[in-house]
């Protein structure tokens, strides 16, 4: 008695989606005996971890045929950059705290209203502002590894 191979299952990789920069998404094909996988990036595992924009396709093959599925993934910045700091030591909004900073390598330059640099770091961790003098500042937040750049202003109040 000879067993025949089954056709590959119909499957989906899910709806197109948008990730925040620094997040990742696990795409996976169906599990089953004698299934072979071919991703658009050339990998052949059942799962693919993605964190960059693109259209990802998976071809699942058996001896009796193939099924394909695709999912588009976009990546955007999900940062929330404040424009006011109330550096009064009340533990609320005392620092220039950017929500959504993930990972290392966020460079921050802060300039006073005359264009003089008052703070610079290549690895920012939401620590500037408590000792800043009241006034208007200009900020340049960058992540050189990805090319992301934010230019804006900030007011420090007491």
């Amino acid at each position: 008695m000879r067993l025949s191979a089954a056709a590959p299952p119909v499957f989906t990789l899910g709806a197109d989606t948008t990730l925040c920069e620094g997040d990742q998404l696990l795409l996976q094909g169906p599990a089953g005996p004698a299934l072979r996988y071919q991703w658009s990036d050339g990998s052949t595992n059942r799962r693919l971890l993605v964190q960059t924009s693109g259209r990802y396709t998976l071809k699942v093959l058996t001896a009796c045929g193939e099924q394909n599925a695709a999912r588009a993934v976009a990546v955007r910045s999900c940062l929330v950059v404040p424009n006011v700091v109330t550096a009064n030591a009340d533990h609320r909004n005392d620092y220039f705290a950017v929500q959504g900073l993930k990972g290392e390598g966020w460079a921050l330059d802060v300039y006073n209203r005359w264009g003089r640099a008052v703070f610079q770091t290549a690895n920012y961790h939401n620590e500037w502002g408590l000792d800043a003098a009241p006034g208007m500042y200009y900020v340049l937040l960058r992540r050189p590894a990805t090319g992301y750049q934010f230019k804006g202003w900030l007011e420090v109040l007491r």
Side-chain angles (χ1 to χ4, degrees):
M1 178 171 167
R2 183 176 157 175
L3 297 175
S4 62
V10 175
F11 68 98
T12 178
L13 295 175
D16 294 349
T17 191
T18 300
L19 300 176
C20 291
E21 184 179 44
D23 287 348
Q24 48 192 12
L25 175 67
L26 181 64
L27 301 177
Q28 60 185 5
L35 296 180
R36 293 175 309 170
Y37 308 96
Q38 181 69 51
W39 289 95
S40 50
D41 72 347
S43 62
T44 57
N45 296 317
R46 181 174 160 248
R47 295 178 175 94
L48 181 68
L49 191 62
V50 300
Q51 59 188 82
T52 58
S53 294
R55 182 165 178 80
Y56 297 91
T57 59
L58 174 62
K59 183 186 299 184
V60 175
L61 305 116
T62 69
C64 291
E66 67 181 56
Q67 288 290 333
N68 296 289
R71 185 170 185 179
V73 176
V75 176
R76 69 176 180 87
S77 171
C78 296
L79 298 181
V80 177
V81 182
N83 62 1
V84 174
V85 169
T86 57
N88 56 11
D90 68 353
H91 304 292
R92 292 180 36 211
N93 211 31
D94 287 332
Y95 298 94
F96 178 65
V98 180
Q99 296 175 24
L101 287 182
K102 294 180 182 178
E104 300 294 317
W106 288 94
L108 177 68
D109 299 311
V110 180
Y111 301 91
N112 66 16
R113 64 182 178 176
W114 297 283
R116 190 176 124 244
V118 296
F119 180 84
Q120 293 181 307
T121 183
N123 202 15
Y124 188 61
H125 292 286
N126 290 333
E127 70 267 23
W128 182 82
L130 186 59
D131 296 327
M136 185 70 66
Y137 295 87
Y138 300 93
V139 296
L140 174 59
L141 179 66
R142 298 173 286 116
R143 191 164 198 197
T146 64
Y148 175 83
Q149 182 171 290
F150 171 85
K151 293 179 182 180
W153 59 271
L154 167 71
E155 186 170 5
V156 174
L157 304 172
R158 292 277 176 191

